[in-house]
Amino acid sequence: MNLLFLTLAEISSVEERGIYQDLLRKFRNEGHDVTIVSPVERRKGIATNFNTKKGVSILQVKTLNIQKTNIIEKGIGTIAIEYQYLAAIKKHLTGKKFDLVLYSTPPITFAKVIEYIKKRDHAKSYLLLKDIFPQNAVDMKMLKEGGFLHKQFLKKEKKLYHISDTVGCMSQANVDFVLQNNPEISKNKVEVNPNTIEPVVFNYSDLQKKAIRKKYQVPTDKKVFVYGGNLGKPQGLDFLLETILATETQDVFFLIIGDGTEFQKIQEWFNNKKPANAKLLQRLPKEDYDQLLASCDVGLIFLDKNFLIPNFPSRLLSYLEMKMPVIAATDPNTDIGDVIEEAHCGYKVMAGNQDEMQLKIKLILNSNIKEIGERAEKLLLSKYTVDQSYHLIMEKIE
């Protein structure tokens, strides 16, 4: 089978680790021909190019800056990317016919590209719904509900659902949300196809974990609660900072690792407050990040309390992979906390409820963290491996 994958993620090799790289590597290893269309932002100064690495074709398309940039360039860039991808595909991929076009949100603006491939090659189409836009932008007050832009993006969202043969959602709450808000969509074309990875075993000894912590000047005599990933408005990180100040127990140390639009704000907070029980590190290389994560004890997930859409952050998988209990402080609409509690590998907290957060921190500290971690790994292996995503997708084209 010839597979075309469209994404906003910058992918230069499927040998890297990540939810998309792991899935595409699985397709390649199963004998399928994989072609990736991925952006290379103008800030990098690289022209549109086509190359093959380890059996995978990669078409890098020069775009405007669409990640970690101002809202105007991001908006224009997101709209323009559809036409840039289409032009690049017509130029570089004219000689290859595809059986399946696979794509993820964001963005919702790939419709013309998908329609072109479906019509040209009679291909099947599969959407991996990772972000429900424009509702998430409305939730974050970045877009006015009922305004001109909102209406235009709603049309594009519905068009994307319409041309997708299958819509794979991250969780059951996502399936329910999509069907409730888009009654014109057939229930038969929407399914749960969650974030998945190819797990790696991180069996570090206690001595090795201590050495890793010392390298980053993280205490070796405390339970380290780690938040790793994007530091942006959707994460509602004010509650994380409140939690750091409110946690008086001497047994807990908070580690924040990441980057994003809120990093500068968080760094200024650290400079002003100088918390003795926390440390902030900017984004690390993936290998270094994984090592540091593996030396921590408890994973943290934060989402803004105002979300109406049921987000399901992929960072959960990293925590489960490291055999860590998880505390998820979220809005009431996501089901990520329910999944964690049903698997007995952590707790959910309503974002903003500090009393509840302190209770769950104490429950974790008074529990057998190793046993909870074993259940976390069991959850990962039962629900979130690439084998499951791969078979769900293959069922639609066989």
Side-chain angles (χ1 to χ4, degrees):
M1 177 188 74
N2 290 344
L3 164 67
L4 178 65
F5 180 62
L6 309 173
T7 180
L8 262 191
E10 290 194 18
I11 297 177
S12 57
S13 168
V14 297
E15 303 310 314
E16 300 165 350
R17 299 188 66 224
I19 57 173
Y20 301 130
Q21 291 93 331
D22 287 10
L23 179 58
L24 296 169
R25 190 167 60 248
K26 171 70 175 177
F27 272 97
R28 181 203 61 188
N29 293 347
E30 292 292 332
H32 303 290
D33 184 288
V34 177
T35 300
I36 301 167
V37 185
S38 173
V40 56
E41 296 181 314
R42 69 180 179 89
R43 64 167 65 98
K44 295 195 172 181
I46 300 173
T48 296
N49 64 90
F50 180 75
N51 63 81
T52 301
K53 290 183 182 178
K54 296 196 174 181
V56 173
S57 300
I58 301 176
L59 174 56
Q60 287 188 312
V61 182
K62 184 179 180 180
T63 67
L64 294 175
N65 296 324
I66 45 183
Q67 307 283 358
K68 297 178 178 65
T69 187
N70 65 76
I71 191 71
I72 296 173
E73 182 171 12
K74 184 182 181 75
I76 295 171
T78 302
I79 292 170
I81 200 170
E82 182 173 40
Y83 302 95
Q84 292 166 329
Y85 272 34
L86 193 54
I89 287 169
K90 287 180 177 179
K91 180 178 180 180
H92 294 277
L93 301 177
T94 53
K96 181 179 285 188
K97 293 190 73 173
F98 296 99
D99 303 292
L100 172 68
V101 55
L102 182 69
Y103 41 97
S104 61
T105 56
I108 57 167
T109 52
F110 280 155
K112 283 185 170 60
V113 184
I114 298 157
E115 283 184 316
Y116 172 75
I117 296 297
K118 289 189 74 172
K119 184 176 181 181
R120 188 192 74 174
D121 301 346
H122 304 290
K124 293 283 189 180
S125 57
Y126 196 110
L127 167 61
L128 295 169
L129 191 67
K130 306 299 185 187
D131 193 20
I132 299 177
F133 182 87
Q135 184 59 48
N136 63 344
V138 172
D139 293 348
M140 292 294 93
K141 296 180 173 55
M142 297 170 69
L143 202 61
K144 183 182 178 183
E145 187 168 12
F148 175 77
L149 278 179
H150 181 238
K151 288 178 180 177
Q152 294 304 307
F153 281 128
L154 271 179
K155 287 180 184 177
K156 289 183 177 294
E157 179 192 22
K158 289 186 177 294
K159 179 73 177 290
L160 189 66
Y161 295 155
H162 175 72
I163 64 172
S164 300
D165 294 320
T166 309
V167 178
C169 298
M170 295 183 291
S171 70
Q172 187 58 47
N174 277 262
V175 170
D176 296 341
F177 185 92
V178 168
L179 292 174
Q180 286 166 10
N181 289 275
N182 301 274
E184 70 279 6
I185 299 178
S186 168
K187 291 182 180 179
N188 296 330
K189 71 185 288 183
V190 185
E191 66 182 9
V192 175
N193 189 341
N195 296 322
T196 57
I197 58 173
E198 183 179 14
V200 173
V201 177
F202 293 87
N203 279 332
Y204 293 111
S205 67
D206 289 341
L207 279 176
Q208 287 173 313
K209 289 181 180 181
K210 283 185 177 180
I212 294 167
R213 288 194 189 185
K214 285 179 180 178
K215 177 182 175 181
Y216 294 98
Q217 297 179 321
V218 174
T220 58
D221 59 343
K222 299 180 187 297
K223 296 300 182 187
V224 177
F225 285 56
V226 60
Y227 173 89
N230 187 44
L231 303 175
K233 287 188 180 300
Q235 283 69 49
L237 295 170
D238 285 344
F239 186 51
L240 170 55
L241 302 182
E242 290 169 16
T243 300
I244 291 171
L245 289 182
T247 304
E248 296 178 352
T249 171
Q250 298 299 306
D251 298 325
V252 174
F253 187 86
F254 292 92
L255 178 61
I256 303 175
I257 316 167
D259 202 358
T261 56
E262 299 293 284
F263 180 84
Q264 196 66 38
K265 174 184 172 182
I266 295 170
Q267 189 172 51
E268 289 174 4
W269 184 90
F270 267 80
N271 291 339
N272 292 330
K273 301 291 185 182
K274 296 181 172 54
N277 63 336
K279 187 179 185 71
L280 172 65
L281 293 173
Q282 202 156 12
R283 177 179 292 177
L284 297 172
K286 179 64 174 168
E287 188 174 341
D288 295 340
Y289 172 76
D290 284 342
Q291 283 186 350
L292 182 52
L293 202 62
S295 76
C296 299
D297 299 294
V298 178
L300 298 172
I301 291 171
F302 285 83
L303 286 171
D304 191 283
K305 64 183 178 182
N306 295 313
F307 269 121
L308 296 179
I309 64 166
N311 286 295
F312 205 99
S314 61
R315 68 179 54 83
L316 170 67
L317 306 188
S318 297
Y319 299 152
L320 301 181
E321 186 179 38
M322 303 297 175
K323 300 183 181 181
M324 282 197 284
V326 183
I327 296 179
T330 71
D331 58 272
N333 297 299
T334 179
D335 53 352
I336 193 168
D338 297 324
V339 169
I340 292 165
E341 290 200 340
E342 285 167 12
H344 304 290
C345 62
Y347 297 102
K348 65 178 179 179
V349 174
M350 196 60 60
N353 188 333
Q354 193 57 241
D355 289 340
E356 189 180 12
M357 174 60 90
Q358 292 303 315
L359 172 63
K360 298 303 167 61
I361 288 173
K362 287 172 183 173
L363 284 173
I364 288 282
L365 292 176
N366 293 326
S367 301
N368 186 321
I369 288 180
K370 186 175 180 181
E371 281 185 11
I372 301 175
E374 295 292 339
R375 293 196 289 269
E377 183 186 39
K378 185 178 179 182
L379 173 62
L380 175 69
L381 296 178
S382 65
K383 287 191 175 183
Y384 302 116
T385 65
V386 289
D387 289 0
Q388 297 178 57
S389 285
Y390 171 78
H391 289 302
L392 282 168
I393 295 167
M394 287 301 298
E395 283 173 4
K396 307 304 177 298
I397 59 172
E398 290 176 341

mmCIF file of all heavy atoms in Angstrom, residues 1-5 14 23-29 31-36 52 55-58 96 98:
data_model
loop_
_atom_site.group_PDB
_atom_site.id
_atom_site.type_symbol
_atom_site.label_atom_id
_atom_site.label_comp_id
_atom_site.label_asym_id
_atom_site.label_seq_id
_atom_site.Cartn_x
_atom_site.Cartn_y
_atom_site.Cartn_z
ATOM 1 N N MET A 1 0.834 -1.193 0.000
ATOM 2 C CA MET A 1 0.000 0.000 0.000
ATOM 3 C C MET A 1 0.875 1.251 0.000
ATOM 4 O O MET A 1 1.895 1.304 0.681
ATOM 5 C CB MET A 1 -0.892 0.012 1.244
ATOM 6 C CG MET A 1 -1.761 1.262 1.365
ATOM 7 S SD MET A 1 -2.635 1.388 2.937
ATOM 8 C CE MET A 1 -1.309 1.843 4.049
ATOM 9 N N ASN A 2 0.455 2.236 -0.758
ATOM 10 C CA ASN A 2 1.126 3.538 -0.746
ATOM 11 C C ASN A 2 0.365 4.497 0.164
ATOM 12 O O ASN A 2 -0.825 4.757 -0.047
ATOM 13 C CB ASN A 2 1.203 4.118 -2.160
ATOM 14 C CG ASN A 2 2.168 3.348 -3.046
ATOM 15 O OD1 ASN A 2 2.991 2.577 -2.543
ATOM 16 N ND2 ASN A 2 2.079 3.535 -4.342
ATOM 17 N N LEU A 3 1.055 5.020 1.171
ATOM 18 C CA LEU A 3 0.443 5.890 2.183
ATOM 19 C C LEU A 3 1.014 7.291 2.077
ATOM 20 O O LEU A 3 2.234 7.487 2.016
ATOM 21 C CB LEU A 3 0.725 5.323 3.579
ATOM 22 C CG LEU A 3 0.501 6.249 4.789
ATOM 23 C CD1 LEU A 3 -0.980 6.563 4.949
ATOM 24 C CD2 LEU A 3 1.051 5.619 6.060
ATOM 25 N N LEU A 4 0.127 8.297 2.068
ATOM 26 C CA LEU A 4 0.534 9.699 2.109
ATOM 27 C C LEU A 4 0.089 10.271 3.444
ATOM 28 O O LEU A 4 -1.086 10.201 3.806
ATOM 29 C CB LEU A 4 -0.111 10.485 0.971
ATOM 30 C CG LEU A 4 0.190 11.994 0.933
ATOM 31 C CD1 LEU A 4 1.661 12.245 0.661
ATOM 32 C CD2 LEU A 4 -0.682 12.702 -0.113
ATOM 33 N N PHE A 5 1.030 10.843 4.195
ATOM 34 C CA PHE A 5 0.715 11.429 5.498
ATOM 35 C C PHE A 5 0.948 12.931 5.448
ATOM 36 O O PHE A 5 2.044 13.396 5.129
ATOM 37 C CB PHE A 5 1.586 10.807 6.603
ATOM 38 C CG PHE A 5 1.323 11.365 7.975
ATOM 39 C CD1 PHE A 5 0.078 11.231 8.576
ATOM 40 C CD2 PHE A 5 2.325 12.035 8.674
ATOM 41 C CE1 PHE A 5 -0.166 11.747 9.848
ATOM 42 C CE2 PHE A 5 2.095 12.549 9.945
ATOM 43 C CZ PHE A 5 0.838 12.407 10.535
ATOM 44 N N VAL A 14 11.565 9.134 10.489
ATOM 45 C CA VAL A 14 10.664 8.309 11.303
ATOM 46 C C VAL A 14 11.436 7.519 12.343
ATOM 47 O O VAL A 14 10.838 6.764 13.118
ATOM 48 C CB VAL A 14 9.817 7.344 10.434
ATOM 49 C CG1 VAL A 14 8.906 8.115 9.506
ATOM 50 C CG2 VAL A 14 10.681 6.357 9.680
ATOM 51 N N LEU A 23 4.005 5.642 14.551
ATOM 52 C CA LEU A 23 2.966 5.037 13.713
ATOM 53 C C LEU A 23 3.448 4.857 12.278
ATOM 54 O O LEU A 23 3.242 3.798 11.668
ATOM 55 C CB LEU A 23 1.699 5.906 13.738
ATOM 56 C CG LEU A 23 0.518 5.409 12.890
ATOM 57 C CD1 LEU A 23 0.080 4.008 13.307
ATOM 58 C CD2 LEU A 23 -0.659 6.375 12.988
ATOM 59 N N LEU A 24 4.106 5.872 11.728
ATOM 60 C CA LEU A 24 4.596 5.785 10.350
ATOM 61 C C LEU A 24 5.706 4.746 10.227
ATOM 62 O O LEU A 24 5.802 4.042 9.203
ATOM 63 C CB LEU A 24 5.081 7.152 9.881
ATOM 64 C CG LEU A 24 3.981 8.217 9.796
ATOM 65 C CD1 LEU A 24 4.584 9.598 9.586
ATOM 66 C CD2 LEU A 24 2.982 7.892 8.692
ATOM 67 N N ARG A 25 6.533 4.631 11.249
ATOM 68 C CA ARG A 25 7.579 3.591 11.256
ATOM 69 C C ARG A 25 6.948 2.201 11.243
ATOM 70 O O ARG A 25 7.445 1.283 10.572
ATOM 71 C CB ARG A 25 8.465 3.778 12.481
ATOM 72 C CG ARG A 25 9.716 2.925 12.486
ATOM 73 C CD ARG A 25 10.697 3.370 13.557
ATOM 74 N NE ARG A 25 10.162 3.290 14.893
ATOM 75 C CZ ARG A 25 9.881 4.336 15.671
ATOM 76 N NH1 ARG A 25 10.094 5.572 15.219
ATOM 77 N NH2 ARG A 25 9.407 4.174 16.894
ATOM 78 N N LYS A 26 5.830 2.055 11.958
ATOM 79 C CA LYS A 26 5.103 0.788 11.964
ATOM 80 C C LYS A 26 4.613 0.448 10.556
ATOM 81 O O LYS A 26 4.764 -0.700 10.100
ATOM 82 C CB LYS A 26 3.919 0.883 12.937
ATOM 83 C CG LYS A 26 2.933 -0.285 12.889
ATOM 84 C CD LYS A 26 3.528 -1.551 13.450
ATOM 85 C CE LYS A 26 2.481 -2.669 13.502
ATOM 86 N NZ LYS A 26 3.048 -3.951 13.979
ATOM 87 N N PHE A 27 4.051 1.426 9.845
ATOM 88 C CA PHE A 27 3.594 1.187 8.474
ATOM 89 C C PHE A 27 4.766 0.775 7.583
ATOM 90 O O PHE A 27 4.657 -0.161 6.796
ATOM 91 C CB PHE A 27 2.915 2.443 7.910
ATOM 92 C CG PHE A 27 1.448 2.523 8.215
ATOM 93 C CD1 PHE A 27 0.988 3.273 9.290
ATOM 94 C CD2 PHE A 27 0.524 1.846 7.436
ATOM 95 C CE1 PHE A 27 -0.379 3.345 9.576
ATOM 96 C CE2 PHE A 27 -0.841 1.910 7.712
ATOM 97 C CZ PHE A 27 -1.292 2.667 8.782
ATOM 98 N N ARG A 28 5.893 1.486 7.716
ATOM 99 C CA ARG A 28 7.062 1.132 6.908
ATOM 100 C C ARG A 28 7.545 -0.279 7.213
ATOM 101 O O ARG A 28 7.839 -1.071 6.311
ATOM 102 C CB ARG A 28 8.195 2.122 7.153
ATOM 103 C CG ARG A 28 9.440 1.826 6.312
ATOM 104 C CD ARG A 28 10.692 2.400 6.918
ATOM 105 N NE ARG A 28 10.969 1.836 8.244
ATOM 106 C CZ ARG A 28 11.923 2.278 9.045
ATOM 107 N NH1 ARG A 28 12.677 3.304 8.685
ATOM 108 N NH2 ARG A 28 12.120 1.714 10.234
ATOM 109 N N ASN A 29 7.621 -0.603 8.497
ATOM 110 C CA ASN A 29 8.126 -1.913 8.902
ATOM 111 C C ASN A 29 7.208 -3.054 8.485
ATOM 112 O O ASN A 29 7.647 -4.201 8.363
ATOM 113 C CB ASN A 29 8.342 -1.953 10.418
ATOM 114 C CG ASN A 29 9.471 -1.041 10.870
ATOM 115 O OD1 ASN A 29 10.261 -0.561 10.047
ATOM 116 N ND2 ASN A 29 9.559 -0.790 12.172
ATOM 117 N N GLY A 31 5.906 -3.127 5.618
ATOM 118 C CA GLY A 31 6.091 -3.279 4.174
ATOM 119 C C GLY A 31 5.367 -2.278 3.302
ATOM 120 O O GLY A 31 5.358 -2.406 2.077
ATOM 121 N N HIS A 32 4.778 -1.246 3.908
ATOM 122 C CA HIS A 32 4.061 -0.243 3.127
ATOM 123 C C HIS A 32 4.995 0.884 2.680
ATOM 124 O O HIS A 32 6.015 1.166 3.321
ATOM 125 C CB HIS A 32 2.904 0.336 3.948
ATOM 126 C CG HIS A 32 1.936 -0.705 4.429
ATOM 127 N ND1 HIS A 32 1.088 -1.386 3.579
ATOM 128 C CD2 HIS A 32 1.711 -1.215 5.674
ATOM 129 C CE1 HIS A 32 0.368 -2.252 4.278
ATOM 130 N NE2 HIS A 32 0.736 -2.166 5.553
ATOM 131 N N ASP A 33 4.647 1.508 1.578
ATOM 132 C CA ASP A 33 5.398 2.653 1.058
ATOM 133 C C ASP A 33 4.848 3.920 1.722
ATOM 134 O O ASP A 33 3.669 4.242 1.574
ATOM 135 C CB ASP A 33 5.243 2.732 -0.468
ATOM 136 C CG ASP A 33 6.080 3.842 -1.079
ATOM 137 O OD1 ASP A 33 5.707 5.030 -0.896
ATOM 138 O OD2 ASP A 33 7.086 3.552 -1.733
ATOM 139 N N VAL A 34 5.691 4.653 2.442
ATOM 140 C CA VAL A 34 5.253 5.812 3.222
ATOM 141 C C VAL A 34 5.854 7.097 2.662
ATOM 142 O O VAL A 34 7.068 7.187 2.467
ATOM 143 C CB VAL A 34 5.655 5.662 4.711
ATOM 144 C CG1 VAL A 34 5.269 6.914 5.501
ATOM 145 C CG2 VAL A 34 5.001 4.426 5.324
ATOM 146 N N THR A 35 4.992 8.074 2.408
ATOM 147 C CA THR A 35 5.429 9.414 1.993
ATOM 148 C C THR A 35 4.855 10.428 2.983
ATOM 149 O O THR A 35 3.652 10.421 3.258
ATOM 150 C CB THR A 35 4.957 9.754 0.572
ATOM 151 O OG1 THR A 35 5.498 8.803 -0.346
ATOM 152 C CG2 THR A 35 5.410 11.156 0.167
ATOM 153 N N ILE A 36 5.713 11.285 3.516
ATOM 154 C CA ILE A 36 5.305 12.296 4.491
ATOM 155 C C ILE A 36 5.416 13.677 3.861
ATOM 156 O O ILE A 36 6.416 13.994 3.217
ATOM 157 C CB ILE A 36 6.217 12.249 5.736
ATOM 158 C CG1 ILE A 36 6.165 10.866 6.393
ATOM 159 C CG2 ILE A 36 5.827 13.331 6.744
ATOM 160 C CD1 ILE A 36 7.260 10.636 7.421
ATOM 161 N N THR A 52 14.545 10.857 0.447
ATOM 162 C CA THR A 52 14.168 9.563 1.023
ATOM 163 C C THR A 52 15.171 9.169 2.097
ATOM 164 O O THR A 52 16.381 9.235 1.866
ATOM 165 C CB THR A 52 14.117 8.472 -0.069
ATOM 166 O OG1 THR A 52 13.171 8.851 -1.061
ATOM 167 C CG2 THR A 52 13.701 7.130 0.519
ATOM 168 N N GLY A 55 13.946 4.298 3.674
ATOM 169 C CA GLY A 55 12.743 3.729 3.086
ATOM 170 C C GLY A 55 11.501 4.579 3.193
ATOM 171 O O GLY A 55 10.410 4.137 2.821
ATOM 172 N N VAL A 56 11.624 5.816 3.691
ATOM 173 C CA VAL A 56 10.474 6.709 3.816
ATOM 174 C C VAL A 56 10.746 7.991 3.024
ATOM 175 O O VAL A 56 11.797 8.613 3.187
ATOM 176 C CB VAL A 56 10.195 7.052 5.291
ATOM 177 C CG1 VAL A 56 9.099 8.114 5.409
ATOM 178 C CG2 VAL A 56 9.798 5.804 6.071
ATOM 179 N N SER A 57 9.799 8.372 2.173
ATOM 180 C CA SER A 57 9.933 9.604 1.392
ATOM 181 C C SER A 57 9.402 10.784 2.195
ATOM 182 O O SER A 57 8.333 10.680 2.811
ATOM 183 C CB SER A 57 9.165 9.486 0.075
ATOM 184 O OG SER A 57 9.671 8.410 -0.709
ATOM 185 N N ILE A 58 10.147 11.883 2.192
ATOM 186 C CA ILE A 58 9.740 13.061 2.952
ATOM 187 C C ILE A 58 9.775 14.287 2.049
ATOM 188 O O ILE A 58 10.825 14.628 1.491
ATOM 189 C CB ILE A 58 10.652 13.301 4.177
ATOM 190 C CG1 ILE A 58 10.630 12.078 5.105
ATOM 191 C CG2 ILE A 58 10.195 14.549 4.937
ATOM 192 C CD1 ILE A 58 11.568 12.184 6.290
ATOM 193 N N LYS A 96 3.421 9.163 -8.371
ATOM 194 C CA LYS A 96 3.058 8.134 -7.395
ATOM 195 C C LYS A 96 1.572 8.217 -7.058
ATOM 196 O O LYS A 96 1.055 9.281 -6.750
ATOM 197 C CB LYS A 96 3.893 8.301 -6.117
ATOM 198 C CG LYS A 96 3.595 7.237 -5.056
ATOM 199 C CD LYS A 96 4.450 7.428 -3.817
ATOM 200 C CE LYS A 96 5.878 6.983 -4.067
ATOM 201 N NZ LYS A 96 6.678 6.988 -2.814
ATOM 202 N N PHE A 98 -1.527 7.039 -4.530
ATOM 203 C CA PHE A 98 -1.660 6.659 -3.128
ATOM 204 C C PHE A 98 -2.968 5.916 -2.891
ATOM 205 O O PHE A 98 -4.009 6.235 -3.469
ATOM 206 C CB PHE A 98 -1.587 7.900 -2.240
ATOM 207 C CG PHE A 98 -0.253 8.596 -2.308
ATOM 208 C CD1 PHE A 98 -0.074 9.706 -3.116
ATOM 209 C CD2 PHE A 98 0.822 8.107 -1.594
ATOM 210 C CE1 PHE A 98 1.153 10.338 -3.198
ATOM 211 C CE2 PHE A 98 2.057 8.725 -1.661
ATOM 212 C CZ PHE A 98 2.229 9.844 -2.466
#
